């Protein structure tokens, strides 16, 4: 939207739409974090080894990759809102099935379908937000996705902490005689139902409507968002940005000159992959196990998770206030440098430890240093790569290829997440935390070079003007 159109922008409606869409981010975070407090219950109930615990915990992630890929493509045929409604239904069914699972296999299957919902929400919520918001505030509104992801994670940590405390332990019986860890899955149904119901009250993306030839509907939505005059002009811009001879398809990712994927697609894959290779989800998925490994009790470990989640929200709020002022690329660089330093400190702390009776013990004082370094690392991530990657994936691709490029980049993000999360328990046990965190440190350092060489600034650029 141009400066003269800002007076017609319907900010209350845009805020309501963003609020509903980001419930998908909340569910993304909640479903990802809920597993954190259930691991003692899973090991005890299903007699899981470290390898099988890793497989069970990570069963969500192949589903995420599939969900992200399918959602990006389905969104071009069914619409953004409808696919998000399917995701909401999957959240409900998978939460019920996870809590009731009689075996690790059934739980793994339920978590796989939960992952499909998470993957769909992860790519569609920021894309939908970017398609209904003006360029001058798009970054801060799209950043709300990361705040809601962290809010979901923190909500899961709080619920897990309360349920374990009220029952006496995560494995102790609670309501209706079921152990608390099962209720950690079941309470997810509440926000999932809220997501499904509220999706009924928001409009479809005008970019999708134009792509499907539903121009009158698109202009109607744009009029509600930006006023009649701006709506007509914007609808024409969207039509001009789309290829008129066919609907969006996967082959649009190819550069007509070379027949290979466009450079912008590879940049999106790089952003999505590096966000995971720095090891952030080790903190979120295995936080309780990690902090117990360095000497904290189960109760204290859950409190540390809550602290990390709270600091993450504060960092995301800081990103919201700066992303449309200083831009996306500077925030990525700040985050990469900060994460490389703090991960390096963690690597050093873990290198000073030794194993006693199978448990890691750090040198005197290094446990506290590790705790501070880990939380500062979380702050840097959530001030930069956490929100900025999702903002850029939602806005950086041209209209014609947005759905297909999101499918590929989203799948890459979740496959990298899967590789990191699946490998961590085995790596920590067999080669040590120091070597494992050394790898994450190296990836953070390499991400600095990637941002400098490959990433272009998108601040203030209209979606119709994105090139690739």
């Amino acid at each position: 939207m141009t400066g003269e159109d800002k007076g017609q922008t319907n900010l209350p409606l845009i805020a309501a739409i963003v609020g509903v869409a980001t419930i998908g981010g909340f569910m993304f975070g909640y479903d990802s974090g809920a597993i954190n407090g259930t691991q003692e219950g899973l090991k005890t109930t299903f007699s899981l080894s470290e390898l099988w615990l890793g497989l069970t915990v990570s069963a969500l992630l192949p589903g995420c990759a599939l969900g992200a890929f399918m959602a990006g493509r389905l969104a071009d045929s069914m619409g953004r809102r409808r696919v998000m409604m399917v995701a909401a239904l999957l959240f409900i069914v998978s939460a019920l099935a996870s809590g009731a699972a009689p075996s690790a296999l059934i739980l793994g299957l339920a978590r796989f379908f939960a992952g499909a919902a998470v993957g769909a929400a992860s790519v569609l919520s920021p894309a939908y937000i970017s398609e209904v918001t003006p360029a001058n505030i798009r970054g801060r509104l799209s950043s709300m996705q990361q705040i809601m992801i962290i809010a979901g994670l923190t909500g899961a940590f709080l619920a897990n902490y309360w349920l374990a405390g009220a029952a006496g332990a995560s494995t102790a019986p609670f309501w209706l005689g079921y152990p608390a860890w099962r209720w950690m899955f079941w309470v997810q149904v509440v926000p999932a139902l809220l997501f499904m119901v509220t999706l009924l009250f928001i409009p479809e993306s005008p970019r999708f409507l134009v792509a499907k030839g539903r121009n009158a509907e698109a202009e109607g939505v744009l009029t509600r968002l930006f006023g009649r005059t701006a709506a007509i002009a914007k609808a024409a811009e969207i039509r001009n940005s789309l290829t008129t001879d066919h609907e969006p398809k996967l082959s649009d990712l190819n550069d007509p000159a070379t027949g290979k994927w466009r450079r912008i697609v590879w940049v999106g894959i790089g952003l999505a992959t590096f966000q995971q290779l720095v090891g952030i989800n080790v903190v979120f998925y295995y936080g309780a196990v990690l902090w117990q490994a360095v000497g904290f009790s189960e109760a204290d470990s859950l409190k540390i998770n809550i602290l990390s989640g709270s600091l993450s929200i504060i960092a995301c709020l800081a990103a919201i206030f700066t992303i449309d002022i200083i831009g996306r690329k500077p925030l990525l660089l700040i985050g990469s440098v900060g994460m490389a330093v703090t991960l390096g400190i963690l690597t050093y702390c873990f290198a000073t430890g030794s194993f006693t009776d199978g448990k890691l013990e750090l040198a005197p004082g290094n446990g506290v240093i590790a705790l501070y370094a880990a939380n500062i690392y979380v702050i840097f991530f959530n001030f930069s790569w956490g929100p900025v990657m999702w903002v850029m994936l939602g806005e950086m691709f041209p209209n014609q290829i947005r759905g297909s490029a999101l499918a590929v980049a989203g799948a890459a993000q979740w496959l990298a997440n899967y590789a990191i999360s699946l490998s961590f328990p085995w790596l920590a046990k067999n080669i040590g935390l120091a070597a494992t965190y050394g790898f994450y440190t190296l990836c953070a350092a390499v991400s600095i070079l990637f941002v400098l060489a490959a990433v272009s600034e998108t601040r203030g650029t209209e979606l119709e003007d994105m090139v690739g």
Side-chain angles (χ1 to χ4, degrees):
M1 267 331 96
T2 59
E4 62 267 27
D5 293 326
K6 288 193 287 185
Q8 295 292 321
T9 301
N10 189 342
L11 289 178
L13 176 59
I14 290 174
I17 290 172
V18 170
V20 171
T22 54
I23 297 175
F26 181 91
M27 290 306 306
F28 167 5
Y30 200 105
D31 220 334
S32 299
I35 195 73
N36 195 294
T38 66
Q39 291 176 45
E40 282 301 317
L42 298 182
K43 287 193 289 187
T44 301
T45 305
F46 303 128
S47 301
L48 298 179
S49 65
E50 263 76 12
L51 175 61
W52 281 103
L53 176 64
L55 288 170
T56 304
V57 169
S58 302
L60 180 86
L61 301 174
C64 291
L66 179 64
F69 183 81
M70 294 299 296
R73 299 295 301 125
L74 288 173
D76 282 338
S77 58
M78 294 174 56
R80 280 60 164 154
R81 190 182 69 155
R82 285 184 180 177
V83 179
M84 285 193 288
M85 291 184 71
V86 173
L89 180 61
L90 280 175
F91 277 127
I92 294 170
V93 173
S94 61
L96 293 172
S98 295
S103 67
L105 176 61
I106 298 300
L107 177 64
L109 288 172
R111 295 293 291 163
F112 178 86
F113 285 105
V118 168
S122 72
V123 297
L124 290 186
S125 291
Y128 177 84
I129 292 169
S130 73
E131 291 182 342
V132 298
T133 54
N136 64 306
I137 58 172
R138 187 178 63 229
R140 68 190 68 170
L141 292 179
S142 296
S143 296
M144 289 298 298
Q145 167 81 349
Q146 182 68 12
I147 285 189
M148 291 296 279
I149 292 171
I150 301 303
L153 281 162
T154 306
F157 295 155
L158 285 168
N160 289 355
Y161 178 70
W162 183 85
L163 286 166
S170 61
T171 54
F174 197 46
W175 291 320
L176 303 178
Y178 292 104
W181 70 264
R182 292 189 181 274
W183 286 101
M184 292 176 184
F185 290 119
W186 285 333
V187 294
Q188 297 174 63
V189 172
V190 176
L193 279 172
L194 177 65
F195 186 36
M196 173 169 280
V197 171
T198 54
L199 281 169
L200 297 171
F201 298 97
I202 62 173
E204 182 53 82
S205 162
R207 267 89 179 173
F208 166 77
L209 293 172
V210 170
K212 301 298 285 186
R214 295 156 61 178
N215 295 309
E217 292 178 62
E219 288 188 14
V221 173
L222 289 167
T223 298
R224 292 173 63 194
L225 292 171
F226 306 118
R228 181 62 182 166
T229 302
I232 295 173
K234 178 55 65 178
E237 290 176 17
I238 296 171
R239 282 193 294 273
N240 290 337
S241 71
L242 294 168
T243 300
T244 57
D245 62 347
H246 66 268
E247 291 187 353
K249 57 185 180 180
L250 200 60
S251 61
D252 291 328
L253 298 181
N254 294 333
D255 186 331
T258 65
K260 299 178 181 180
W261 278 359
R262 307 181 193 207
R263 179 179 182 275
I264 193 68
V265 177
W266 288 110
V267 174
I269 291 172
L271 283 168
T273 303
F274 271 114
Q275 195 212 40
Q276 293 305 309
L277 293 181
V278 296
I280 186 64
N281 282 316
V282 167
V283 175
F284 288 132
Y285 293 161
Y286 295 102
V289 173
L290 175 62
W291 294 119
Q292 287 176 67
V294 296
F296 292 94
S297 68
E298 180 183 33
D300 286 339
S301 298
L302 292 173
K303 289 178 184 177
I304 293 170
N305 285 339
I306 295 170
L307 173 63
S308 297
S310 301
L311 291 173
S312 297
I313 292 174
I314 294 171
C316 286
L317 288 171
I320 283 179
F321 288 111
T322 55
I323 191 169
D324 285 321
I325 298 173
I326 69 174
R328 285 68 161 149
K329 187 169 182 175
L331 287 183
L332 290 175
L333 288 171
I334 291 169
S336 291
V337 172
M339 288 188 297
V341 171
T342 50
L343 284 168
I345 293 171
L346 278 169
T347 300
Y348 168 77
C349 289
F350 292 143
T352 66
S354 59
F355 282 90
T356 303
D357 297 327
K359 289 190 175 182
L360 177 68
E361 292 184 357
L362 299 185
N366 280 0
V368 175
I369 294 174
L371 176 60
Y372 277 111
N375 280 294
I376 296 171
Y377 157 74
V378 165
I379 290 172
F380 273 112
F381 177 85
N382 285 289
F383 180 66
S384 59
W385 282 82
V388 175
M389 190 279 289
W390 293 115
V391 170
M392 293 201 71
L393 287 191
E395 70 184 10
M396 67 188 286
F397 303 116
N399 280 338
Q400 183 69 24
I401 70 168
R402 185 168 298 118
S404 297
L406 276 170
V408 172
Q413 197 263 356
W414 286 109
L415 287 172
N417 188 327
Y418 180 58
I420 294 296
S421 300
L422 177 62
S423 64
F424 176 75
W426 187 90
L427 290 173
K429 181 178 180 180
N430 291 280
I431 70 170
L433 286 173
T436 304
Y437 272 75
F439 172 73
Y440 305 150
T441 303
L442 176 63
C443 290
V446 173
S447 74
I448 300 171
L449 303 177
F450 170 76
V451 174
L452 288 171
V455 176
S456 300
E457 183 57 64
T458 55
R459 175 170 62 99
T461 305
E462 293 285 346
L463 298 186
E464 284 63 52
D465 296 328
M466 296 293 177
V467 295

